[in-house]
PDB file of all heavy atoms in Angstrom:
ATOM      1  N   GLU A 166    -261.239-104.389  16.560  1.00  0.00           N
ATOM      2  CA  GLU A 166    -260.372-104.982  17.580  1.00  0.00           C
ATOM      3  C   GLU A 166    -260.241-106.471  17.283  1.00  0.00           C
ATOM      4  O   GLU A 166    -261.224-107.201  17.317  1.00  0.00           O
ATOM      5  CB  GLU A 166    -260.965-104.778  18.983  1.00  0.00           C
ATOM      6  CG  GLU A 166    -261.160-103.331  19.382  1.00  0.00           C
ATOM      7  CD  GLU A 166    -259.854-102.592  19.641  1.00  0.00           C
ATOM      8  OE1 GLU A 166    -258.820-103.242  19.877  1.00  0.00           O
ATOM      9  OE2 GLU A 166    -259.871-101.358  19.602  1.00  0.00           O
ATOM     10  N   ILE A 167    -259.040-106.909  16.983  1.00  0.00           N
ATOM     11  CA  ILE A 167    -258.785-108.317  16.692  1.00  0.00           C
ATOM     12  C   ILE A 167    -258.106-108.924  17.911  1.00  0.00           C
ATOM     13  O   ILE A 167    -257.065-108.434  18.350  1.00  0.00           O
ATOM     14  CB  ILE A 167    -257.905-108.468  15.441  1.00  0.00           C
ATOM     15  CG1 ILE A 167    -258.619-107.832  14.249  1.00  0.00           C
ATOM     16  CG2 ILE A 167    -257.571-109.926  15.186  1.00  0.00           C
ATOM     17  CD1 ILE A 167    -257.817-107.794  12.982  1.00  0.00           C
ATOM     18  N   PRO A 168    -258.711-109.976  18.474  1.00  0.00           N
ATOM     19  CA  PRO A 168    -258.127-110.565  19.686  1.00  0.00           C
ATOM     20  C   PRO A 168    -256.760-111.195  19.412  1.00  0.00           C
ATOM     21  O   PRO A 168    -256.492-111.671  18.314  1.00  0.00           O
ATOM     22  CB  PRO A 168    -259.142-111.633  20.091  1.00  0.00           C
ATOM     23  CG  PRO A 168    -259.927-111.928  18.865  1.00  0.00           C
ATOM     24  CD  PRO A 168    -259.893-110.693  18.028  1.00  0.00           C
ATOM     25  N   ASP A 169    -255.915-111.164  20.413  1.00  0.00           N
ATOM     26  CA  ASP A 169    -254.588-111.776  20.330  1.00  0.00           C
ATOM     27  C   ASP A 169    -254.753-113.258  20.648  1.00  0.00           C
ATOM     28  O   ASP A 169    -254.910-113.658  21.806  1.00  0.00           O
ATOM     29  CB  ASP A 169    -253.643-111.105  21.330  1.00  0.00           C
ATOM     30  CG  ASP A 169    -252.221-111.614  21.229  1.00  0.00           C
ATOM     31  OD1 ASP A 169    -252.013-112.755  20.757  1.00  0.00           O
ATOM     32  OD2 ASP A 169    -251.312-110.871  21.624  1.00  0.00           O
ATOM     33  N   LEU A 170    -254.747-114.095  19.601  1.00  0.00           N
ATOM     34  CA  LEU A 170    -254.995-115.524  19.781  1.00  0.00           C
ATOM     35  C   LEU A 170    -253.923-116.204  20.626  1.00  0.00           C
ATOM     36  O   LEU A 170    -254.226-117.128  21.376  1.00  0.00           O
ATOM     37  CB  LEU A 170    -255.124-116.211  18.425  1.00  0.00           C
ATOM     38  CG  LEU A 170    -256.302-115.753  17.577  1.00  0.00           C
ATOM     39  CD1 LEU A 170    -256.323-116.495  16.247  1.00  0.00           C
ATOM     40  CD2 LEU A 170    -257.612-115.960  18.310  1.00  0.00           C
ATOM     41  N   GLU A 171    -252.690-115.736  20.516  1.00  0.00           N
ATOM     42  CA  GLU A 171    -251.629-116.344  21.325  1.00  0.00           C
ATOM     43  C   GLU A 171    -251.904-116.131  22.814  1.00  0.00           C
ATOM     44  O   GLU A 171    -251.759-117.061  23.617  1.00  0.00           O
ATOM     45  CB  GLU A 171    -250.274-115.748  20.946  1.00  0.00           C
ATOM     46  CG  GLU A 171    -249.107-116.428  21.643  1.00  0.00           C
ATOM     47  CD  GLU A 171    -247.758-115.940  21.147  1.00  0.00           C
ATOM     48  OE1 GLU A 171    -247.689-115.317  20.075  1.00  0.00           O
ATOM     49  OE2 GLU A 171    -246.774-116.186  21.855  1.00  0.00           O
ATOM     50  N   LYS A 172    -252.353-114.935  23.181  1.00  0.00           N
ATOM     51  CA  LYS A 172    -252.691-114.667  24.588  1.00  0.00           C
ATOM     52  C   LYS A 172    -253.879-115.516  25.033  1.00  0.00           C
ATOM     53  O   LYS A 172    -253.909-116.014  26.156  1.00  0.00           O
ATOM     54  CB  LYS A 172    -253.011-113.185  24.789  1.00  0.00           C
ATOM     55  CG  LYS A 172    -251.802-112.296  24.787  1.00  0.00           C
ATOM     56  CD  LYS A 172    -252.189-110.861  25.082  1.00  0.00           C
ATOM     57  CE  LYS A 172    -250.981-109.944  25.032  1.00  0.00           C
ATOM     58  NZ  LYS A 172    -251.349-108.538  25.270  1.00  0.00           N
ATOM     59  N   GLU A 173    -254.857-115.691  24.141  1.00  0.00           N
ATOM     60  CA  GLU A 173    -256.019-116.512  24.491  1.00  0.00           C
ATOM     61  C   GLU A 173    -255.609-117.967  24.725  1.00  0.00           C
ATOM     62  O   GLU A 173    -256.059-118.599  25.675  1.00  0.00           O
ATOM     63  CB  GLU A 173    -257.094-116.421  23.403  1.00  0.00           C
ATOM     64  CG  GLU A 173    -257.815-115.089  23.413  1.00  0.00           C
ATOM     65  CD  GLU A 173    -258.997-115.044  22.462  1.00  0.00           C
ATOM     66  OE1 GLU A 173    -259.463-116.124  22.017  1.00  0.00           O
ATOM     67  OE2 GLU A 173    -259.457-113.938  22.173  1.00  0.00           O
ATOM     68  N   TRP A 174    -254.744-118.495  23.839  1.00  0.00           N
ATOM     69  CA  TRP A 174    -254.273-119.864  24.021  1.00  0.00           C
ATOM     70  C   TRP A 174    -253.469-119.997  25.314  1.00  0.00           C
ATOM     71  O   TRP A 174    -253.607-120.984  26.043  1.00  0.00           O
ATOM     72  CB  TRP A 174    -253.437-120.322  22.830  1.00  0.00           C
ATOM     73  CG  TRP A 174    -254.252-120.913  21.730  1.00  0.00           C
ATOM     74  CD1 TRP A 174    -254.474-120.353  20.511  1.00  0.00           C
ATOM     75  CD2 TRP A 174    -254.980-122.134  21.739  1.00  0.00           C
ATOM     76  NE1 TRP A 174    -255.287-121.161  19.769  1.00  0.00           N
ATOM     77  CE2 TRP A 174    -255.614-122.264  20.491  1.00  0.00           C
ATOM     78  CE3 TRP A 174    -255.166-123.127  22.683  1.00  0.00           C
ATOM     79  CZ2 TRP A 174    -256.410-123.362  20.172  1.00  0.00           C
ATOM     80  CZ3 TRP A 174    -255.968-124.218  22.359  1.00  0.00           C
ATOM     81  CH2 TRP A 174    -256.580-124.328  21.117  1.00  0.00           C
ATOM     82  N   ASP A 175    -252.611-119.016  25.600  1.00  0.00           N
ATOM     83  CA  ASP A 175    -251.839-119.047  26.844  1.00  0.00           C
ATOM     84  C   ASP A 175    -252.772-119.088  28.050  1.00  0.00           C
ATOM     85  O   ASP A 175    -252.528-119.818  29.013  1.00  0.00           O
ATOM     86  CB  ASP A 175    -250.905-117.838  26.934  1.00  0.00           C
ATOM     87  CG  ASP A 175    -249.740-117.914  25.956  1.00  0.00           C
ATOM     88  OD1 ASP A 175    -249.481-119.021  25.415  1.00  0.00           O
ATOM     89  OD2 ASP A 175    -249.094-116.875  25.721  1.00  0.00           O
ATOM     90  N   ALA A 176    -253.863-118.311  27.996  1.00  0.00           N
ATOM     91  CA  ALA A 176    -254.825-118.297  29.102  1.00  0.00           C
ATOM     92  C   ALA A 176    -255.521-119.648  29.233  1.00  0.00           C
ATOM     93  O   ALA A 176    -255.745-120.140  30.357  1.00  0.00           O
ATOM     94  CB  ALA A 176    -255.861-117.190  28.884  1.00  0.00           C
ATOM     95  N   ILE A 177    -255.848-120.278  28.108  1.00  0.00           N
ATOM     96  CA  ILE A 177    -256.496-121.599  28.146  1.00  0.00           C
ATOM     97  C   ILE A 177    -255.560-122.624  28.772  1.00  0.00           C
ATOM     98  O   ILE A 177    -255.950-123.390  29.660  1.00  0.00           O
ATOM     99  CB  ILE A 177    -256.917-122.036  26.724  1.00  0.00           C
ATOM    100  CG1 ILE A 177    -258.089-121.173  26.251  1.00  0.00           C
ATOM    101  CG2 ILE A 177    -257.284-123.521  26.700  1.00  0.00           C
ATOM    102  CD1 ILE A 177    -258.421-121.323  24.778  1.00  0.00           C
ATOM    103  N   PHE A 178    -254.291-122.633  28.320  1.00  0.00           N
ATOM    104  CA  PHE A 178    -253.340-123.599  28.870  1.00  0.00           C
ATOM    105  C   PHE A 178    -253.059-123.324  30.349  1.00  0.00           C
ATOM    106  O   PHE A 178    -252.876-124.256  31.133  1.00  0.00           O
ATOM    107  CB  PHE A 178    -252.049-123.616  28.052  1.00  0.00           C
ATOM    108  CG  PHE A 178    -252.184-124.356  26.749  1.00  0.00           C
ATOM    109  CD1 PHE A 178    -252.090-123.684  25.551  1.00  0.00           C
ATOM    110  CD2 PHE A 178    -252.423-125.720  26.724  1.00  0.00           C
ATOM    111  CE1 PHE A 178    -252.224-124.361  24.338  1.00  0.00           C
ATOM    112  CE2 PHE A 178    -252.557-126.415  25.526  1.00  0.00           C
ATOM    113  CZ  PHE A 178    -252.458-125.729  24.328  1.00  0.00           C
ATOM    114  N   ALA A 179    -253.040-122.061  30.750  1.00  0.00           N
ATOM    115  CA  ALA A 179    -252.842-121.730  32.167  1.00  0.00           C
ATOM    116  C   ALA A 179    -254.007-122.254  33.001  1.00  0.00           C
ATOM    117  O   ALA A 179    -253.805-122.788  34.098  1.00  0.00           O
ATOM    118  CB  ALA A 179    -252.695-120.224  32.338  1.00  0.00           C
ATOM    119  N   MET A 180    -255.242-122.115  32.481  1.00  0.00           N
ATOM    120  CA  MET A 180    -256.409-122.611  33.199  1.00  0.00           C
ATOM    121  C   MET A 180    -256.354-124.142  33.317  1.00  0.00           C
ATOM    122  O   MET A 180    -256.645-124.705  34.374  1.00  0.00           O
ATOM    123  CB  MET A 180    -257.687-122.201  32.469  1.00  0.00           C
ATOM    124  CG  MET A 180    -258.956-122.664  33.152  1.00  0.00           C
ATOM    125  SD  MET A 180    -260.444-122.270  32.218  1.00  0.00           S
ATOM    126  CE  MET A 180    -260.212-123.271  30.757  1.00  0.00           C
ATOM    127  N   ILE A 181    -255.940-124.806  32.247  1.00  0.00           N
ATOM    128  CA  ILE A 181    -255.828-126.266  32.267  1.00  0.00           C
ATOM    129  C   ILE A 181    -254.792-126.701  33.298  1.00  0.00           C
ATOM    130  O   ILE A 181    -255.018-127.621  34.084  1.00  0.00           O
ATOM    131  CB  ILE A 181    -255.474-126.797  30.863  1.00  0.00           C
ATOM    132  CG1 ILE A 181    -256.676-126.619  29.925  1.00  0.00           C
ATOM    133  CG2 ILE A 181    -255.037-128.259  30.911  1.00  0.00           C
ATOM    134  CD1 ILE A 181    -256.361-126.848  28.465  1.00  0.00           C
ATOM    135  N   ALA A 182    -253.657-126.005  33.325  1.00  0.00           N
ATOM    136  CA  ALA A 182    -252.598-126.341  34.284  1.00  0.00           C
ATOM    137  C   ALA A 182    -253.070-126.088  35.710  1.00  0.00           C
ATOM    138  O   ALA A 182    -252.804-126.898  36.610  1.00  0.00           O
ATOM    139  CB  ALA A 182    -251.350-125.531  33.983  1.00  0.00           C
ATOM    140  N   LYS A 183    -253.794-124.981  35.918  1.00  0.00           N
ATOM    141  CA  LYS A 183    -254.278-124.640  37.263  1.00  0.00           C
ATOM    142  C   LYS A 183    -255.253-125.700  37.776  1.00  0.00           C
ATOM    143  O   LYS A 183    -255.239-126.046  38.951  1.00  0.00           O
ATOM    144  CB  LYS A 183    -254.960-123.264  37.227  1.00  0.00           C
ATOM    145  CG  LYS A 183    -255.434-122.774  38.564  1.00  0.00           C
ATOM    146  CD  LYS A 183    -256.036-121.390  38.448  1.00  0.00           C
ATOM    147  CE  LYS A 183    -256.530-120.921  39.807  1.00  0.00           C
ATOM    148  NZ  LYS A 183    -257.136-119.593  39.712  1.00  0.00           N
ATOM    149  N   LYS A 184    -256.074-126.218  36.878  1.00  0.00           N
ATOM    150  CA  LYS A 184    -257.059-127.243  37.268  1.00  0.00           C
ATOM    151  C   LYS A 184    -256.452-128.641  37.228  1.00  0.00           C
ATOM    152  O   LYS A 184    -257.131-129.619  37.504  1.00  0.00           O
ATOM    153  CB  LYS A 184    -258.282-127.167  36.359  1.00  0.00           C
ATOM    154  CG  LYS A 184    -259.074-125.892  36.570  1.00  0.00           C
ATOM    155  CD  LYS A 184    -260.334-125.886  35.754  1.00  0.00           C
ATOM    156  CE  LYS A 184    -261.127-124.613  36.051  1.00  0.00           C
ATOM    157  NZ  LYS A 184    -262.427-124.614  35.402  1.00  0.00           N
ATOM    158  N   ASN A 185    -255.172-128.697  36.869  1.00  0.00           N
ATOM    159  CA  ASN A 185    -254.435-129.959  36.834  1.00  0.00           C
ATOM    160  C   ASN A 185    -255.132-131.000  35.952  1.00  0.00           C
ATOM    161  O   ASN A 185    -255.253-132.162  36.319  1.00  0.00           O
ATOM    162  CB  ASN A 185    -254.216-130.496  38.253  1.00  0.00           C
ATOM    163  CG  ASN A 185    -253.032-131.439  38.315  1.00  0.00           C
ATOM    164  OD1 ASN A 185    -252.179-131.425  37.435  1.00  0.00           O
ATOM    165  ND2 ASN A 185    -252.995-132.260  39.341  1.00  0.00           N
ATOM    166  N   LEU A 186    -255.585-130.569  34.768  1.00  0.00           N
ATOM    167  CA  LEU A 186    -256.309-131.461  33.873  1.00  0.00           C
ATOM    168  C   LEU A 186    -255.376-132.318  33.011  1.00  0.00           C
ATOM    169  O   LEU A 186    -255.773-133.368  32.535  1.00  0.00           O
ATOM    170  CB  LEU A 186    -257.253-130.653  32.971  1.00  0.00           C
ATOM    171  CG  LEU A 186    -258.364-129.905  33.696  1.00  0.00           C
ATOM    172  CD1 LEU A 186    -259.167-129.079  32.696  1.00  0.00           C
ATOM    173  CD2 LEU A 186    -259.278-130.872  34.433  1.00  0.00           C
ATOM    174  N   ASN A 187    -254.166-131.843  32.791  1.00  0.00           N
ATOM    175  CA  ASN A 187    -253.166-132.583  32.020  1.00  0.00           C
ATOM    176  C   ASN A 187    -253.698-133.083  30.676  1.00  0.00           C
ATOM    177  O   ASN A 187    -253.576-134.256  30.337  1.00  0.00           O
ATOM    178  CB  ASN A 187    -252.619-133.761  32.829  1.00  0.00           C
ATOM    179  CG  ASN A 187    -251.882-133.302  34.059  1.00  0.00           C
ATOM    180  OD1 ASN A 187    -251.202-132.284  34.027  1.00  0.00           O
ATOM    181  ND2 ASN A 187    -252.025-134.028  35.152  1.00  0.00           N
ATOM    182  N   LEU A 188    -254.300-132.200  29.914  1.00  0.00           N
ATOM    183  CA  LEU A 188    -254.796-132.543  28.581  1.00  0.00           C
ATOM    184  C   LEU A 188    -253.702-132.302  27.556  1.00  0.00           C
ATOM    185  O   LEU A 188    -252.961-131.330  27.642  1.00  0.00           O
ATOM    186  CB  LEU A 188    -256.014-131.692  28.223  1.00  0.00           C
ATOM    187  CG  LEU A 188    -257.254-131.868  29.091  1.00  0.00           C
ATOM    188  CD1 LEU A 188    -258.302-130.833  28.712  1.00  0.00           C
ATOM    189  CD2 LEU A 188    -257.827-133.267  28.946  1.00  0.00           C
ATOM    190  N   SER A 189    -253.637-133.181  26.565  1.00  0.00           N
ATOM    191  CA  SER A 189    -252.677-132.983  25.477  1.00  0.00           C
ATOM    192  C   SER A 189    -253.273-132.002  24.471  1.00  0.00           C
ATOM    193  O   SER A 189    -254.478-131.741  24.472  1.00  0.00           O
ATOM    194  CB  SER A 189    -252.385-134.314  24.785  1.00  0.00           C
ATOM    195  OG  SER A 189    -253.533-134.750  24.069  1.00  0.00           O
ATOM    196  N   GLU A 190    -252.411-131.490  23.587  1.00  0.00           N
ATOM    197  CA  GLU A 190    -252.907-130.589  22.548  1.00  0.00           C
ATOM    198  C   GLU A 190    -253.919-131.311  21.661  1.00  0.00           C
ATOM    199  O   GLU A 190    -254.883-130.724  21.205  1.00  0.00           O
ATOM    200  CB  GLU A 190    -251.751-130.047  21.709  1.00  0.00           C
ATOM    201  CG  GLU A 190    -250.958-128.975  22.426  1.00  0.00           C
ATOM    202  CD  GLU A 190    -249.993-128.245  21.508  1.00  0.00           C
ATOM    203  OE1 GLU A 190    -250.389-127.926  20.374  1.00  0.00           O
ATOM    204  OE2 GLU A 190    -248.854-128.018  21.940  1.00  0.00           O
ATOM    205  N   GLU A 191    -253.692-132.593  21.421  1.00  0.00           N
ATOM    206  CA  GLU A 191    -254.617-133.378  20.592  1.00  0.00           C
ATOM    207  C   GLU A 191    -255.996-133.477  21.268  1.00  0.00           C
ATOM    208  O   GLU A 191    -257.027-133.321  20.606  1.00  0.00           O
ATOM    209  CB  GLU A 191    -254.052-134.775  20.350  1.00  0.00           C
ATOM    210  CG  GLU A 191    -254.920-135.621  19.439  1.00  0.00           C
ATOM    211  CD  GLU A 191    -254.319-136.991  19.176  1.00  0.00           C
ATOM    212  OE1 GLU A 191    -253.081-137.128  19.175  1.00  0.00           O
ATOM    213  OE2 GLU A 191    -255.101-137.917  18.964  1.00  0.00           O
ATOM    214  N   GLU A 192    -256.012-133.693  22.573  1.00  0.00           N
ATOM    215  CA  GLU A 192    -257.288-133.775  23.297  1.00  0.00           C
ATOM    216  C   GLU A 192    -258.009-132.425  23.285  1.00  0.00           C
ATOM    217  O   GLU A 192    -259.229-132.363  23.133  1.00  0.00           O
ATOM    218  CB  GLU A 192    -257.052-134.234  24.741  1.00  0.00           C
ATOM    219  CG  GLU A 192    -256.611-135.675  24.849  1.00  0.00           C
ATOM    220  CD  GLU A 192    -256.120-136.040  26.238  1.00  0.00           C
ATOM    221  OE1 GLU A 192    -255.356-135.255  26.827  1.00  0.00           O
ATOM    222  OE2 GLU A 192    -256.517-137.108  26.725  1.00  0.00           O
ATOM    223  N   ILE A 193    -257.250-131.363  23.420  1.00  0.00           N
ATOM    224  CA  ILE A 193    -257.840-130.024  23.378  1.00  0.00           C
ATOM    225  C   ILE A 193    -258.436-129.772  21.997  1.00  0.00           C
ATOM    226  O   ILE A 193    -259.561-129.282  21.871  1.00  0.00           O
ATOM    227  CB  ILE A 193    -256.792-128.949  23.734  1.00  0.00           C
ATOM    228  CG1 ILE A 193    -256.387-129.091  25.200  1.00  0.00           C
ATOM    229  CG2 ILE A 193    -257.336-127.548  23.452  1.00  0.00           C
ATOM    230  CD1 ILE A 193    -255.188-128.263  25.580  1.00  0.00           C
ATOM    231  N   GLN A 194    -257.701-130.139  20.934  1.00  0.00           N
ATOM    232  CA  GLN A 194    -258.201-129.948  19.575  1.00  0.00           C
ATOM    233  C   GLN A 194    -259.463-130.773  19.337  1.00  0.00           C
ATOM    234  O   GLN A 194    -260.401-130.304  18.683  1.00  0.00           O
ATOM    235  CB  GLN A 194    -257.128-130.310  18.546  1.00  0.00           C
ATOM    236  CG  GLN A 194    -257.521-129.972  17.116  1.00  0.00           C
ATOM    237  CD  GLN A 194    -257.768-128.482  16.921  1.00  0.00           C
ATOM    238  OE1 GLN A 194    -256.933-127.659  17.256  1.00  0.00           O
ATOM    239  NE2 GLN A 194    -258.921-128.130  16.379  1.00  0.00           N
ATOM    240  N   GLN A 195    -259.531-131.970  19.885  1.00  0.00           N
ATOM    241  CA  GLN A 195    -260.734-132.797  19.754  1.00  0.00           C
ATOM    242  C   GLN A 195    -261.935-132.116  20.411  1.00  0.00           C
ATOM    243  O   GLN A 195    -263.044-132.141  19.873  1.00  0.00           O
ATOM    244  CB  GLN A 195    -260.504-134.174  20.371  1.00  0.00           C
ATOM    245  CG  GLN A 195    -259.568-135.053  19.565  1.00  0.00           C
ATOM    246  CD  GLN A 195    -259.190-136.337  20.288  1.00  0.00           C
ATOM    247  OE1 GLN A 195    -259.513-136.535  21.452  1.00  0.00           O
ATOM    248  NE2 GLN A 195    -258.482-137.214  19.579  1.00  0.00           N
ATOM    249  N   GLU A 196    -261.710-131.506  21.568  1.00  0.00           N
ATOM    250  CA  GLU A 196    -262.796-130.794  22.253  1.00  0.00           C
ATOM    251  C   GLU A 196    -263.257-129.591  21.434  1.00  0.00           C
ATOM    252  O   GLU A 196    -264.452-129.326  21.305  1.00  0.00           O
ATOM    253  CB  GLU A 196    -262.356-130.343  23.654  1.00  0.00           C
ATOM    254  CG  GLU A 196    -262.230-131.463  24.657  1.00  0.00           C
ATOM    255  CD  GLU A 196    -263.554-132.160  24.915  1.00  0.00           C
ATOM    256  OE1 GLU A 196    -264.597-131.467  25.021  1.00  0.00           O
ATOM    257  OE2 GLU A 196    -263.549-133.391  25.004  1.00  0.00           O
ATOM    258  N   ILE A 197    -262.300-128.863  20.879  1.00  0.00           N
ATOM    259  CA  ILE A 197    -262.637-127.707  20.041  1.00  0.00           C
ATOM    260  C   ILE A 197    -263.456-128.160  18.832  1.00  0.00           C
ATOM    261  O   ILE A 197    -264.479-127.561  18.501  1.00  0.00           O
ATOM    262  CB  ILE A 197    -261.357-126.964  19.593  1.00  0.00           C
ATOM    263  CG1 ILE A 197    -260.697-126.279  20.790  1.00  0.00           C
ATOM    264  CG2 ILE A 197    -261.661-125.955  18.486  1.00  0.00           C
ATOM    265  CD1 ILE A 197    -259.317-125.739  20.511  1.00  0.00           C
ATOM    266  N   ASP A 198    -263.005-129.229  18.181  1.00  0.00           N
ATOM    267  CA  ASP A 198    -263.728-129.751  17.020  1.00  0.00           C
ATOM    268  C   ASP A 198    -265.136-130.188  17.398  1.00  0.00           C
ATOM    269  O   ASP A 198    -266.088-129.965  16.639  1.00  0.00           O
ATOM    270  CB  ASP A 198    -262.968-130.921  16.389  1.00  0.00           C
ATOM    271  CG  ASP A 198    -261.637-130.494  15.759  1.00  0.00           C
ATOM    272  OD1 ASP A 198    -261.473-129.277  15.479  1.00  0.00           O
ATOM    273  OD2 ASP A 198    -260.780-131.370  15.548  1.00  0.00           O
TER     274      ASP A 198
END
């Protein structure tokens, strides 16, 4: 079973929007790194 990465990213961005964090993609990538 290979996870659908696009769905996972959509869920992450939805959670960020719900919490009103307003993080940029660059900030998210920095956190991942």
Side-chain angles (χ1 to χ4, degrees):
E166 300 289 340
I167 300 175
D169 184 336
L170 296 179
E171 186 174 344
K172 285 184 182 178
E173 287 187 16
W174 273 110
D175 289 345
I177 289 169
F178 283 114
M180 181 184 65
I181 290 168
K183 183 177 179 181
K184 292 185 177 186
N185 203 19
L186 296 176
N187 296 323
L188 297 173
S189 69
E190 284 191 42
E191 183 178 330
E192 291 169 315
I193 293 169
Q194 187 61 53
Q195 288 172 353
E196 288 297 319
I197 291 170
D198 293 341

